[in-house]
Amino acid sequence: MSSDFRIYNEIRKNTKGHESVLSNLDGLGLDDNTRALHILWMYPDVLNVFGGRGDLMALMRVSTAMGVPVRMRRLDHLSDEIPLDWADLIYYASGDLTCMEDILRVTMPRKDELKAFARKGKMIVAVSSSGVILADRFIRKDGTSVEATGLLGMTMTEREKVHGDDLWIRTESGMEITGNQIQLLDVSLSEGQEPLGTVLYGHGNDGNGMEGARTGNVIYTGCVGPALVRNPWFAADLIRNAAEASGVSPACGEFLLPDEAIEQELLSSEEARAFIRQKM
């Protein structure tokens, strides 16, 4: 079994109650003492919908293709201390909306530390409903409000009906991301808060042409599918930013994602855009 498939199978396993650290150092032929990019996978047995596990697979695969050494650590229990001194990139995959208040209860006491973590240029990413963790507040359908960390200037309001459709966005850098949107929350950005991108097709945050939110290396997107599997260039952007902020260098000396490593994804992206164009 190849090193990549061994790692994928370890990620795929739903090993409850067991913290594990995965690495691509062997696959890159690097020593165990090599400074690697540290990815903290938050609550994988709770935040486990819309293919989020696949996003972690994509981060490992793309890191290996770029020659970036990575250690990926699961944080399994809400009661576990968040190892901010260890982490370089914190990833909240999408989870059910019903679990967000429990996560906020253990996260809010450390919100100032998370903000300090982000000010260092370290990366925090949240997907779909998990964006609640990074928002200013979450408003339930009954109108009651729950305070969140405020790492991003946005209010997330529970919808009466779930919205589902394809999604196609373009970021400020010109990167295009395609995927799906299963929207349980409308997202309202505060004045001055930049979106992740503009909507080429789909609902986006609340139908106003913007999608997600980004402040430096803190990112929210409602794009699932899983988004990093379908858009490895997006995964590469996250890895590059997190590695540069943490002083981690790729084995080849340059942050490059070879086209030959993502041939299938490039073809799939073109097919997705062609399909969406028929609906525009």
Side-chain angles (χ1 to χ4, degrees):
M1 180 181 293
S2 74
S3 176
D4 276 353
F5 277 108
R6 177 183 58 77
I7 293 171
Y8 296 166
N9 282 331
E10 289 183 36
I11 294 173
R12 180 180 55 80
K13 289 175 183 176
N14 196 5
T15 313
K16 295 182 182 294
H18 175 69
E19 182 187 278
S20 57
V21 178
L22 311 173
S23 170
N24 65 354
L25 295 178
D26 283 348
L28 292 176
L30 298 174
D31 186 87
D32 283 345
N33 295 320
T34 301
R35 172 61 166 102
L37 179 67
H38 290 172
I39 299 176
L40 187 59
W41 178 9
M42 300 299 285
Y43 315 126
D45 296 326
V46 178
L47 304 179
N48 61 1
V49 299
F50 306 147
R53 200 168 298 266
D55 279 342
L56 278 301
M57 292 181 179
L59 284 171
M60 185 64 79
R61 175 177 179 264
V62 171
S63 295
T64 302
M66 296 173 72
V68 176
V70 162
R71 288 187 178 89
M72 183 181 293
R73 177 175 174 181
R74 295 168 52 114
L75 193 70
D76 282 310
H77 303 106
L78 293 179
S79 59
D80 290 342
E81 191 75 9
I82 303 172
L84 294 178
D85 291 340
W86 179 87
D88 300 313
L89 189 163
I90 297 175
Y91 199 88
Y92 294 92
S94 181
D96 194 279
L97 192 56
T98 58
C99 71
M100 293 305 150
E101 291 184 49
D102 287 331
I103 294 175
L104 282 173
R105 285 190 193 98
V106 301
T107 305
M108 289 297 286
R110 303 200 67 184
K111 70 175 182 178
D112 290 338
E113 294 172 76
L114 283 168
K115 289 178 179 179
F117 177 90
R119 284 195 296 270
K120 294 176 185 176
K122 301 298 184 78
M123 180 156 279
I124 305 174
V125 181
V127 179
S128 192
S129 298
S130 296
V132 164
I133 300 162
L134 306 184
D136 285 321
R137 65 189 58 83
F138 159 49
I139 300 177
R140 305 182 188 92
K141 281 191 288 188
D142 64 8
T144 56
S145 178
V146 178
E147 182 185 0
T149 62
L151 275 96
L152 292 171
M154 59 185 187
T155 297
M156 305 188 78
T157 304
E158 191 173 5
R159 293 172 55 88
E160 290 293 333
K161 295 181 179 179
V162 176
H163 172 87
D165 200 354
D166 292 300
L167 182 65
W168 180 6
I169 71 170
R170 180 182 292 130
T171 68
E172 185 178 355
S173 68
M175 177 172 56
E176 293 190 4
I177 299 169
T178 59
N180 304 107
Q181 189 168 17
I182 305 172
Q183 190 87 340
L184 288 81
L185 300 148
D186 281 328
V187 182
S188 174
L189 301 185
S190 304
E191 185 176 354
Q193 174 62 61
E194 295 294 324
L196 173 62
T198 56
V199 175
L200 302 178
Y201 177 88
H203 182 74
N205 287 342
D206 59 2
N208 66 357
M210 296 184 290
E211 203 289 313
R214 181 168 193 166
T215 298
N217 280 358
V218 182
I219 294 175
Y220 156 72
T221 181
C223 188
V224 296
L228 299 187
V229 174
R230 295 181 59 167
N231 303 274
W233 38 92
F234 186 21
D237 185 65
L238 301 182
I239 292 162
R240 183 183 305 109
N241 283 316
E244 287 177 343
S246 306
V248 175
S249 301
C252 64
E254 293 184 84
F255 290 99
L256 297 175
L257 178 59
D259 282 351
E260 57 266 27
I262 54 170
E263 288 179 353
Q264 290 184 324
E265 290 87 349
L266 288 167
L267 289 171
S268 176
S269 178
E270 187 52 49
E271 290 178 357
R273 285 179 286 182
F275 175 77
I276 292 171
R277 286 190 190 99
Q278 298 176 24
K279 304 196 292 182
M280 295 172 71

